[in-house]
Amino acid sequence: MLGLVIRKEIQENFLNIRFIASCGISLLLMISSIAILTRSHEDQVTDYRSRLQQQDEFIDRFGHFNRLGWMSTQHRGPSTLQALVLGIDREAQQDNFISNPVPVLLSRLDFVSLVTVIMSLIAIMFSYNAISGEREAGVLRQVLASGVPRRTLLVGTFLGGLISLIVPFTISVLAGMLYLALSPALQLKSVDFGILALLLVLSWFYVSVFYGIGLLFSARSHTSAQAILKSLFAWVMLVLIIPNVSPFLAAQFYPIPSAAKINQEQYMIVDRERDEIVRKRLREMTETTYADLRPVVGLPRHEVEAALKSDPSLNERYRQYAKECDDIIAAVNKDQRAKAEKIGEVFEKRSQTQEELARVLTSASPLSNFVLIATDLTETGIEADNHWRRQSGEYERALGKYADAKYRSEVEKNPAYDSNDYLDLRGRPRFQYMPAGILERIEPDLPQWGVLTVFTVIFFTAAFVSFQRYDVR
Amino acid sequence: MTDIVKKELLENLATYRFYVLTGLMFTLMLISIIVSYGDYHLRVENYNVLRPAAHVTDKIILPPEPLSIFAKGLDANVGRLYELGALGVQVQPNQQSINRLSSLFSIPDMLFVIKVVLALIAVLSAFDAVCGEKEQGTLKLMLAGRTGRAPVLLGKLAGRFILVFLPFIILFLIASIVVSLLPDVAGGTEYWRRLAVIACASGLYAASFVALGTLVSSLVNRSSTSVMLGLALWVLLVFVVPNLGVTVAQSIGDVPPSDRVEMQNRLASIHSIYETQQVMKNAREKDYSRIMFQIREANVHLFETYRPQLDRLIGLTKALVRISPSGAFAFLMTEMANTGIERDIQVKDEIWMYIDRNFKKFGKLEKGEVEHFQFRPASFGEQVSGVALPDALLLLFVPAALIGLAIGAFMRYDPR
């Protein structure tokens, strides 16, 4: 009996012109969006590689200790599946004075927006009259009178409708994914195919939530007109309002200080305050311990080198002086950095608490759960941001250590060598971003998977209960 | 025609649909104002913390725009702290104290409510204007009278438009009055003039979607088909066309990302400093002006090469996005709220010119005081006759064209 109801539902849908049109549109949009974004992704990859090369060559040719941090900024390459899930748009972060302002105002069309907005709406469009529409047409009475149990009818309608939605959707997604897989610039690995499969499963879950919503309101309304209004009301709240409002509400409930203010404080500590302390301590040292070197210290470089060459005892004394200067600078740098880091840590903790609160508030919407899982799976979201920051920080420390050792060995060889002189850094460690493994990407979002499942179960159960008491006349 | 309008109003005023849609609009406008004011208030607090002392000339920050409560647009962007120097401009990243989750979703301001929800309400209010009457069998009776088809359709359109726009404009007016009374918001003439333009634009925008719903209703025989088609067109015009426009423009615009330009600028500056220091190493008199000039030259070259490319990309994006009235409305509303793309460009241009005028003083190459930065925003008149005009004309044209098409379709509509 159940098989019969499912088959009837699928046949009815497949022969429906609006169904064919909806599927055709979603297929067209899916493939065109993936094709355009893949092209854009290829350009981004090329640009990223050329930027890396340019910066590397610059450090090889003009590397020096003083401005190493400034010249060795880590570039973040585009994620492999960014053509599918754009995630946090980096151009919209507007980090540069000359950034393009458009992405702040308007977002781009990707797989996520197609599934979250268009597929959810299509799901509602196909379920809102599944019960009330049949009642209006007088079919529902006949079907129930012919001995089909209510629960079989509802389960059959749900499964049949869902299958007829998911099959063409899966075909369009697979077509888009095939396009991705064939792109020479992307070079998908086995882990990427695993992620693509998970994205597909995730989309099924998401679509089933909205199919359930449509079915629920259909089973709670006497007419299709009422059902569509109620379903759309729920859709607007779940898709357009809750996800967008939650981050701002979290900021109201748990305000944090201005990031710019914290940056300014940190800058003052590691820059101006540090310079002042270093200057003071060097002056004190020169005036007390190395007063004899005062006439040499202010001379031009070549004269210092000549004086050191001609007088070995002066050379030894200057070497000691240079070493102590470096020790003072290193000690002050360490203290000031620790002070700034402490301020940063406190701020980071508060930001994380606000983010957690926003996550909790936003999880009331299936869309937010979908977006969080999809962006984390494809390494375009918040977790990937944290992952990248950690690796980038570790690399900065490793590079700093390497450059420091190199610099010290140069000073050892030539006491007059200073931090603005060329430093051969060709053997430096290179930054290689290691994407998180598939399990690492799934783990933080397990609650979101759970919430999506609960949503599907709740809406289906509510539809089931409502249909048991539905007046078919 | 007046009778038709009256009939439409009386028939729909007491319906379940009217209450649900008006309730939805009220809820969303309320949420939008509460959330947007909270966000604005945070930006004001940030501004007060970061505002440099009166004598500081190497830091610029512009106060948040009160109208950003209605359309946030680029206000958080424009209102960041700019640190100026002979080496160029640094912008403070992540100034806004909002968690990163907000970057994954849209901003729930009034612009969003009008652009997305008001348009949806308009389509849902009009989808059965013609085919619904046909299903009920009342269309035949209506057309059997002496009233011509065009007045019938115009009456229906006007009636449905009033049902959508009247509750909206009342709520909008209440919201505007409440916002004008809130702390940190100065509700002067400028505030009201700009909101009046936004209200008119919202009217035209809502009229476009009412006309679209009526057109669809005049093309099909069944309400269920009409609602499907209406929603499909709403999705197309509100989500697909603007977002796809941005995607296509970025793909074919062939403009390097700003990160590349920033890197080239940075490396050019380091190179200039490094080279000059190598030359200076053995000099008794140290003259660092050379570094400044070289860096300035590199900066100017990169800016002047990149800027026309960026302008072209923005132009192309605007042209593609304007295919939809939703895009034109977003541009118009943000410009009127002083949070649009042109405002962002104008602020950056003025900062750039300010550095250009004072570069030698910033680099200590010339004695004297650096002048104080004065931002002169475009006046209301300049904006209306300039940047807002194409969008305003588009918003006038779209409903007129759709009404024309709807009348054309209704003239050939079979009421049986």
Side-chain angles (χ1 to χ4, degrees):
Chain A
M1 188 73 86
L2 181 67
L4 207 67
V5 178
I6 294 174
R7 206 181 315 147
K8 172 205 156 262
E9 194 69 26
I10 294 173
Q11 270 174 357
E12 251 180 34
N13 278 332
F14 279 10
L15 294 173
N16 191 333
I17 184 78
R18 62 182 182 170
F19 178 80
I20 297 165
S22 309
C23 294
I25 290 169
S26 73
L27 178 75
L28 188 76
L29 285 175
M30 188 70 74
I31 295 178
S32 55
S33 125
I34 290 177
I36 296 169
L37 288 176
T38 304
R39 206 198 125 176
S40 163
H41 182 266
E42 285 167 1
D43 292 345
Q44 281 176 11
V45 171
T46 314
D47 180 75
Y48 164 69
R49 287 184 187 144
S50 113
R51 260 187 292 152
L52 271 189
Q53 193 186 353
Q54 208 176 327
Q55 188 168 287
D56 268 359
E57 282 172 6
F58 184 88
I59 299 173
D60 288 350
R61 285 185 65 196
F62 307 109
H64 52 284
F65 190 65
N66 192 7
R67 292 175 195 88
L68 185 62
W70 197 17
M71 69 181 87
S72 66
T73 303
Q74 275 82 68
H75 297 267
R76 190 166 166 194
S79 155
T80 319
L81 294 174
Q82 209 165 301
L84 216 56
V85 181
L86 286 165
I88 299 175
D89 191 341
R90 256 170 267 150
E91 196 67 27
Q93 303 295 301
Q94 302 280 297
D95 290 338
N96 308 313
F97 181 65
I98 36 130
S99 293
N100 177 7
V102 174
V104 182
L105 216 56
L106 299 157
S107 50
R108 288 186 282 168
L109 195 71
D110 64 351
F111 171 79
V112 170
S113 42
L114 285 172
V115 174
T116 54
V117 178
I118 297 173
M119 281 314 294
S120 62
L121 201 57
I122 290 178
I124 289 221
M125 288 292 101
F126 283 96
S127 54
Y128 81 91
N129 60 357
I131 308 290
S132 52
E134 298 268 295
R135 191 203 66 81
E136 281 173 321
V139 185
L140 196 59
R141 251 190 302 187
Q142 287 175 0
V143 174
L144 291 176
S146 66
V148 180
R150 286 193 179 214
R151 59 171 179 276
T152 311
L153 186 64
L154 192 89
V155 173
T157 308
F158 181 75
L159 290 178
L162 209 55
I163 291 168
S164 40
L165 252 182
I166 280 174
V167 168
F169 167 72
T170 306
I171 293 170
S172 63
V173 174
L174 288 177
M177 287 175 178
L178 184 71
Y179 187 93
L180 271 183
L182 294 176
S183 163
L186 287 177
Q187 292 170 346
L188 297 183
K189 299 184 189 92
S190 53
V191 65
D192 298 318
F193 287 105
I195 301 288
L196 291 177
L198 280 172
L199 276 180
L200 195 58
V201 174
L202 177 68
S203 311
W204 293 344
F205 266 95
Y206 183 76
V207 170
S208 64
V209 171
F210 284 91
Y211 197 86
I213 291 174
L215 203 60
L216 165 66
F217 288 114
S218 192
R220 292 195 68 83
S221 310
H222 215 54
T223 64
S224 300
Q226 282 179 357
I228 181 84
L229 276 177
K230 288 176 188 171
S231 306
L232 282 176
F233 186 87
W235 183 82
V236 168
M237 294 311 284
L238 294 175
V239 172
L240 303 178
I241 305 305
I242 296 174
N244 300 339
V245 166
S246 301
F248 291 90
L249 281 184
Q252 305 288 319
F253 296 147
Y254 189 83
I256 51 174
S258 155
K261 188 187 166 202
I262 301 292
N263 284 345
Q264 269 193 343
E265 275 179 33
Q266 288 180 314
Y267 174 74
M268 288 299 284
I269 290 167
V270 298
D271 195 88
R272 294 194 190 168
E273 196 180 290
R274 180 206 68 162
D275 287 355
E276 216 165 277
I277 297 170
V278 165
R279 251 196 312 270
K280 194 177 155 208
R281 288 182 60 179
L282 287 181
R283 198 171 48 237
E284 278 169 10
M285 185 185 77
T286 314
E287 279 169 7
T288 52
T289 325
Y290 292 97
D292 53 315
L293 287 181
R294 262 198 310 208
V296 186
V297 171
L299 290 174
R301 173 80 169 269
H302 67 287
E303 287 180 28
V304 174
E305 280 175 352
L308 297 182
K309 254 185 200 163
S310 61
D311 185 348
S313 63
L314 180 69
N315 189 13
E316 188 49 41
R317 182 90 176 123
Y318 194 88
R319 196 184 287 275
Q320 268 178 3
Y321 166 76
K323 191 180 171 301
E324 279 191 42
C325 281
D326 285 344
D327 288 346
I328 286 175
I329 293 169
V332 174
N333 273 346
K334 197 179 162 193
D335 291 349
Q336 295 302 101
R337 228 178 282 146
K339 203 170 152 186
E341 273 169 12
K342 201 166 183 187
I343 293 175
E345 275 167 22
V346 173
F347 178 71
E348 201 60 36
K349 222 174 202 171
R350 287 183 64 93
S351 303
Q352 273 171 9
T353 311
Q354 194 192 76
E355 211 162 272
E356 281 304 314
L357 179 63
R359 258 179 188 263
V360 171
L361 292 176
T362 202
S363 63
S365 152
L367 179 137
S368 316
N369 294 300
F370 181 90
V371 169
L372 289 172
I373 299 171
T375 51
D376 285 342
L377 278 177
T378 50
E379 287 243 297
T380 54
I382 291 167
E383 285 301 324
D385 218 31
N386 295 338
H387 196 63
W388 191 85
R389 278 190 208 181
R390 270 194 300 273
Q391 287 192 25
S392 162
E394 277 165 24
Y395 171 74
E396 265 172 36
R397 282 188 287 278
L399 179 67
K401 220 171 170 182
Y402 171 85
D404 194 56
K406 267 268 180 189
Y407 173 69
R408 280 175 187 276
S409 94
E410 288 298 327
V411 172
E412 200 64 37
K413 281 184 238 161
N414 173 14
Y417 180 88
D418 75 38
S419 59
N420 290 315
D421 288 334
Y422 173 73
L423 186 63
D424 185 359
L425 293 164
R426 280 175 297 180
R428 70 187 177 280
R430 306 294 162 115
F431 181 60
Q432 184 75 47
Y433 176 67
M434 295 300 290
I438 191 161
L439 288 176
E440 269 180 278
R441 298 189 208 180
I442 295 171
E443 208 189 332
D445 295 320
L446 282 176
Q448 272 72 33
W449 282 96
V451 173
L452 271 183
T453 316
V454 169
F455 268 128
T456 314
V457 173
I458 287 179
F459 289 125
F460 177 74
T461 314
F464 190 85
V465 172
S466 301
F467 188 56
Q468 294 300 316
R469 288 177 293 170
Y470 191 70
D471 182 2
V472 294
R473 286 163 299 165
Chain B
M1 194 175 111
T2 326
D3 289 340
I4 308 269
V5 175
K6 215 185 284 173
K7 173 199 157 279
E8 286 293 319
L9 290 176
L10 292 173
E11 232 178 49
N12 287 290
L13 261 177
T15 57
Y16 180 75
R17 173 170 63 180
F18 178 76
Y19 292 121
V20 170
L21 296 180
T22 309
L24 179 70
M25 192 149 61
F26 170 75
T27 315
L28 297 187
M29 285 171 89
L30 185 71
I31 293 174
S32 138
I33 290 297
I34 293 172
V35 167
S36 298
Y37 177 71
D39 183 47
Y40 168 73
H41 193 66
L42 273 177
R43 272 180 283 134
V44 172
E45 276 180 10
N46 268 348
Y47 169 74
N48 290 332
V49 166
L50 296 169
R51 190 170 48 179
H55 65 275
V56 176
T57 49
D58 61 350
K59 284 190 181 124
I60 294 172
I61 186 164
L62 297 176
E65 178 60 53
L67 284 167
S68 66
I69 297 168
F70 293 88
K72 187 176 176 187
L74 289 151
D75 196 54
N77 223 28
V78 172
R80 290 197 288 181
L81 183 71
Y82 298 94
E83 290 179 290
L84 322 176
L87 295 181
V89 190
Q90 290 287 316
V91 281
Q92 277 279 355
N94 300 324
Q95 184 170 302
Q96 186 76 0
S97 302
I98 298 286
N99 48 82
R100 285 173 294 170
L101 245 72
S102 61
S103 50
L104 288 170
F105 307 113
S106 308
I107 301 153
D109 55 6
M110 191 67 85
L111 167 63
F112 178 80
V113 174
I114 299 172
K115 196 176 78 167
V116 180
V117 184
L118 183 66
L120 176 67
I121 290 172
V123 170
L124 289 178
S125 298
F127 76 91
D128 60 350
V130 175
C131 57
E133 295 262 5
K134 180 183 172 168
E135 282 174 326
Q136 288 169 7
T138 44
L139 190 63
K140 270 188 285 186
L141 292 172
M142 201 183 281
L143 294 177
R146 268 183 296 167
T147 325
R149 285 197 175 205
V152 167
L153 191 93
L154 286 174
K156 281 188 160 293
L157 253 165
R160 305 270 167 151
F161 173 72
I162 292 168
L163 282 168
V164 174
F165 194 61
L166 194 66
F168 165 77
I169 202 69
I170 292 169
L171 293 171
F172 187 77
L173 191 64
I174 295 169
S176 307
I177 293 168
V178 170
V179 169
S180 72
L181 299 173
L182 291 170
D184 303 318
V185 181
T189 327
E190 190 76 0
Y191 171 87
W192 288 107
R193 271 201 302 198
R194 287 175 183 278
L195 283 181
V197 175
I198 290 172
C200 292
S202 309
L204 291 172
Y205 183 66
S208 305
F209 282 89
V210 171
L212 183 76
T214 315
L215 169 65
V216 171
S217 190
S218 311
L219 288 170
V220 299
N221 292 319
R222 290 172 55 204
S223 305
S224 57
T225 316
S226 178
V227 73
M228 285 284 293
L229 204 56
L231 284 173
L233 288 170
W234 171 75
V235 168
L236 192 77
L237 293 175
V238 174
F239 292 102
V240 179
V241 173
N243 295 1
L244 201 61
V246 179
T247 318
V248 171
Q250 287 201 0
S251 175
I252 59 174
D254 204 24
V255 176
S258 62
D259 278 351
R260 160 169 287 277
V261 184
E262 183 279 330
M263 183 198 77
Q264 285 173 334
N265 212 345
R266 181 165 44 85
L267 295 185
S269 300
I270 299 171
H271 186 234
S272 301
I273 298 170
Y274 176 75
E275 289 282 292
T276 313
Q277 277 179 333
Q278 300 313 307
V279 176
M280 297 288 163
K281 220 176 255 175
N282 296 321
R284 200 168 275 271
E285 287 293 309
K286 305 215 188 275
D287 173 21
Y288 287 100
S289 61
R290 198 181 131 185
I291 300 179
M292 298 298 173
F293 283 113
Q294 274 185 355
I295 292 174
R296 183 71 196 149
E297 213 173 290
N299 272 345
V300 169
H301 175 71
L302 281 166
F303 189 79
E304 285 177 355
T305 317
Y306 179 69
R307 194 41 211 281
Q309 290 178 304
L310 184 63
D311 285 347
R312 251 199 328 274
L313 175 65
I314 293 172
L316 177 65
T317 313
K318 277 187 164 185
L320 291 173
V321 169
R322 276 178 181 145
I323 293 173
S324 154
S326 165
F329 179 75
F331 290 139
L332 179 66
M333 185 161 169
T334 49
E335 292 306 340
M336 279 298 112
N338 280 329
T339 58
I341 292 173
E342 289 304 320
R343 162 62 72 106
D344 184 78
I345 291 172
Q346 197 200 350
V347 168
K348 285 177 178 170
D349 277 351
E350 292 212 7
I351 291 176
W352 184 256
M353 286 189 288
Y354 171 71
I355 298 176
D356 206 46
R357 287 196 301 274
N358 295 282
F359 155 68
K360 288 182 183 168
K361 286 170 188 160
F362 276 129
K364 310 262 185 283
L365 305 172
E366 194 179 278
K367 280 184 184 164
E369 289 283 298
V370 174
E371 66 177 88
H372 268 275
F373 179 76
Q374 289 282 325
F375 176 64
R376 197 196 70 83
S379 71
F380 173 72
E382 282 169 341
Q383 280 180 312
V384 169
S385 58
V387 65
L389 195 60
D391 297 309
L393 290 175
L394 262 168
L395 285 175
L396 269 171
F397 169 76
V398 173
L402 287 170
I403 290 170
L405 287 171
I407 292 174
F410 188 57
M411 290 305 216
R412 285 176 295 166
Y413 192 73
D414 182 1
R416 285 165 297 167

